[in-house]
Amino acid sequence: MLKPEDNQLLTRTNSGTPMGEYFRNHWIPALHVDELPFPDCPPVRVKLLGEYLVAYRNTDGEVNLVEEFCPHRNASFYYGRNEENGIRCVFHGWKFGKDGKCVEIPSEPSESKLKDKVCIKSYPCKEYGGIIWTYMGVEKEPPELPEYEFGRVPDNHRLVTKWHQKCNYVQGIEANMDSSHLSFLHSGGFDKIKDLSNTLKSNTAPKIEAHRMDYGLLIGAARELDDGNVYWRATHYIAPCLTLIPRRDNQPAHAQAWVPIDDENSIGFAITWHETRPLSNSEVTDLKLGNQIHPKMNPGSFTPVYNMENDYMINRTLQASGVSYTGIPGVAAQDASVIESTRGIPDRTREYLGTSDIAIIQMRRFLMDGARNFENGEDIQRPDSKKIAKLRSNAVTLQKGVDFKQGLNESLGINTLVEELK
Ligand SMILES: [Fe+2]
């Protein structure tokens, strides 16, 4: 369980909160690149960390992320004209360009100096891996954007989905590092992979290790097999909000990220990629159906097809028959049903956590330590951005007694990181 003040520290991310400032001093995923498909395309609304923002792609093709409301009379730039490298408020024609500088106030006499005094908040953006990232810690120089492997592959090797989830961001991250729930919530979700399905169903209490790294956590979940070997699922949590999800053999790799919209809503990002080949049509179709970590989406929206309003289309007959553990279709909707079910931020003072929750406990500590240390003036610990590209999350079978960090070294790509374990 957490103290009430720790639950507050962990979950509150508006401007001025310690966790909000910690997030603001990382590059965070904000938009899918397809939201701004061409120069001078329509602007889009984005709400991040409690702030109302508008993003637009200017005439030169650069993405600008600015505060939503015009400093003249607070009209939204969402309805603005995106023209000639700037966003123009349609109320009185005030125009703002690069870095939020006011470049024109046509509603004032030409000799007016008012435009020299006016500026809007503007956050730097970078496009990487099918995602538009932003850095909102304007008081400090932006760090390097971590070079995730999925950003280094051609676009046809990768699928990115963005959606809105009605829960605090922490619940999304917690589910990502909770290996034990695969044996329950997603029981049946792996039926097509017989040996994996049997392993998850027959061993419901994995032994979890969580090692603190400079980038976050390296988590191992061990399930003993009948033949004496051990099935390991190894996961990287990269602070503040991205998790690399274990993959099997030479299958595509997966990641999820959770970004606070405000304290009770989040943006989910799912990324699937393969480092050496394009994703096949059948892989993309399966992903878009919601069978894995990408929700099935209502086209042109950020609302998943299976959502809270329709109770995720739960089928109680399937649930009762045991054909499906939940009666809810697909891994993504199953996750959504539980993480959105808490009616606001969960009361973590009444939790009873077990040994299967060790990674969740460590993740919370990592975030809270980071936020507290940053508030106390310490710099945020950051790994070399290129080191992040070597991280892989894998699931493999090892002989009993083999240290998973050593046994997975090659496939995890952590050769240089093991000695940094604390
Ligand atoms: Fe899950």
Side-chain angles (χ1 to χ4, degrees):
M1 69 169 68
L2 281 186
K3 294 182 202 153
E5 57 270 30
D6 283 350
N7 202 21
Q8 292 273 325
L9 171 66
L10 185 65
T11 55
R12 306 291 180 181
T13 58
N14 280 2
S15 180
T17 60
M19 195 60 74
E21 297 309 308
Y22 182 71
F23 259 82
R24 280 169 173 75
N25 279 273
H26 290 84
W27 284 98
I28 52 172
L31 297 108
H32 194 294
V33 285
D34 291 350
E35 291 181 72
L36 297 173
F38 52 87
D40 290 337
C41 63
V44 296
R45 294 189 185 99
V46 196
K47 189 178 178 192
L48 298 172
L49 304 166
E51 283 190 39
Y52 290 95
L53 304 165
V54 160
Y56 68 96
R57 190 182 291 280
N58 72 13
T59 315
D60 291 340
E62 294 166 349
V63 175
N64 291 259
L65 181 64
V66 298
E67 62 180 288
E68 179 174 355
F69 307 111
C70 178
H72 176 211
R73 297 263 298 283
N74 288 300
S76 173
F77 286 116
Y78 173 71
Y79 299 105
R81 300 178 61 84
N82 180 11
E83 57 187 19
E84 293 166 35
N85 282 326
I87 186 90
R88 190 187 290 280
C89 177
V90 288
F91 204 173
H92 301 90
W94 291 32
K95 185 178 175 185
F96 297 84
K98 208 172 161 56
D99 301 327
K101 283 200 179 67
C102 184
V103 292
E104 203 180 324
I105 300 187
S107 60
E108 290 295 306
S110 56
E111 64 274 19
S112 168
K113 297 271 186 276
L114 185 57
K115 82 171 166 56
D116 302 333
K117 297 180 195 161
V118 185
C119 190
I120 55 173
K121 208 182 276 181
S122 171
Y123 296 119
C125 293
K126 283 187 182 177
E127 294 179 59
Y128 187 76
I131 291 171
I132 297 167
W133 304 72
T134 189
Y135 175 77
M136 296 170 70
V138 287
E139 297 81 14
K140 298 198 177 204
E141 198 54 28
E144 282 183 283
L145 177 69
E147 291 191 22
Y148 297 103
E149 187 186 58
F150 60 77
R152 295 179 157 199
V153 301
D155 288 348
N156 64 351
H157 288 214
R158 176 182 61 231
L159 178 72
V160 177
T161 305
K162 170 182 166 174
W163 71 99
H164 288 177
Q165 203 82 77
K166 293 180 180 174
C167 66
N168 182 265
Y169 80 97
V170 178
Q171 286 145 271
I173 303 176
E174 286 174 346
N176 285 152
M177 55 200 54
D178 176 3
S179 190
S180 140
H181 85 287
L182 301 184
S183 298
F184 304 95
L185 187 75
H186 303 314
S187 173
F190 304 98
D191 280 352
K192 284 188 210 151
I193 314 165
K194 266 278 164 267
D195 56 334
L196 173 60
S197 177
N198 291 341
T199 301
L200 295 175
K201 285 178 183 169
S202 64
N203 195 330
T204 58
K207 190 171 166 288
I208 313 279
E209 297 177 16
H211 302 277
R212 195 180 263 232
M213 312 293 283
D214 51 5
Y215 56 82
L217 299 175
L218 168 58
I219 299 153
R223 287 173 167 90
E224 283 198 30
L225 303 171
D226 291 341
D227 64 6
N229 290 325
V230 181
Y231 173 69
W232 282 96
R233 295 180 64 82
T235 299
H236 293 284
Y237 160 62
I238 302 166
C241 61
L242 190 138
T243 306
L244 302 178
I245 294 162
R247 71 169 180 180
R248 285 165 57 83
D249 309 323
N250 198 26
Q251 298 295 307
H254 305 285
Q256 269 193 355
W258 296 93
V259 182
I261 293 174
D262 53 35
D263 291 343
E264 300 203 345
N265 295 280
S266 311
I267 301 172
F269 283 93
I271 307 123
T272 296
W273 74 99
H274 200 285
E275 70 276 17
T276 59
R277 64 165 175 84
L279 298 181
S280 69
N281 288 341
S282 64
E283 283 170 338
V284 171
T285 301
D286 190 55
L287 290 165
K288 288 188 171 179
L289 284 172
N291 291 330
Q292 300 188 40
I293 60 161
H294 300 246
K296 183 178 180 181
M297 297 300 295
N298 282 314
S301 80
F302 295 120
T303 310
V305 170
Y306 309 118
N307 59 57
M308 190 186 274
E309 274 65 45
N310 57 31
D311 279 331
Y312 314 93
M313 300 194 192
I314 187 169
N315 181 328
R316 295 288 190 183
T317 308
L318 278 183
Q319 188 187 47
S321 70
V323 171
S324 163
Y325 194 78
T326 57
I328 293 172
V331 167
Q334 289 158 6
D335 281 329
S337 72
V338 293
I339 66 177
E340 288 184 330
S341 68
T342 57
R343 297 188 185 273
I345 294 173
D347 179 1
R348 292 188 172 83
T349 65
R350 61 184 289 279
E351 291 175 332
Y352 290 89
L353 299 182
T355 54
S356 64
D357 300 305
I358 284 168
I360 288 160
I361 295 166
Q362 290 291 343
M363 177 274 293
R364 294 174 183 175
R365 278 189 194 149
F366 190 95
L367 277 175
M368 290 192 291
D369 288 350
R372 280 198 192 100
N373 293 342
F374 188 64
E375 188 183 26
N376 292 332
E378 287 181 31
D379 280 338
I380 292 170
Q381 260 192 25
R382 297 179 204 277
D384 182 319
S385 71
K386 289 180 178 56
K387 211 149 94 175
I388 295 293
K390 295 201 286 181
L391 301 179
R392 292 250 179 90
S393 286
N394 277 33
V396 294
T397 300
L398 299 173
Q399 279 186 334
K400 194 171 180 178
V402 172
D403 179 340
F404 91 98
K405 302 182 298 298
Q406 299 299 337
L408 289 169
N409 242 357
E410 218 170 280
S411 53
L412 282 172
I414 57 169
N415 310 37
T416 56
L417 302 184
V418 168
E419 62 253 35
E420 294 166 28
L421 288 170
K422 291 171 190 162

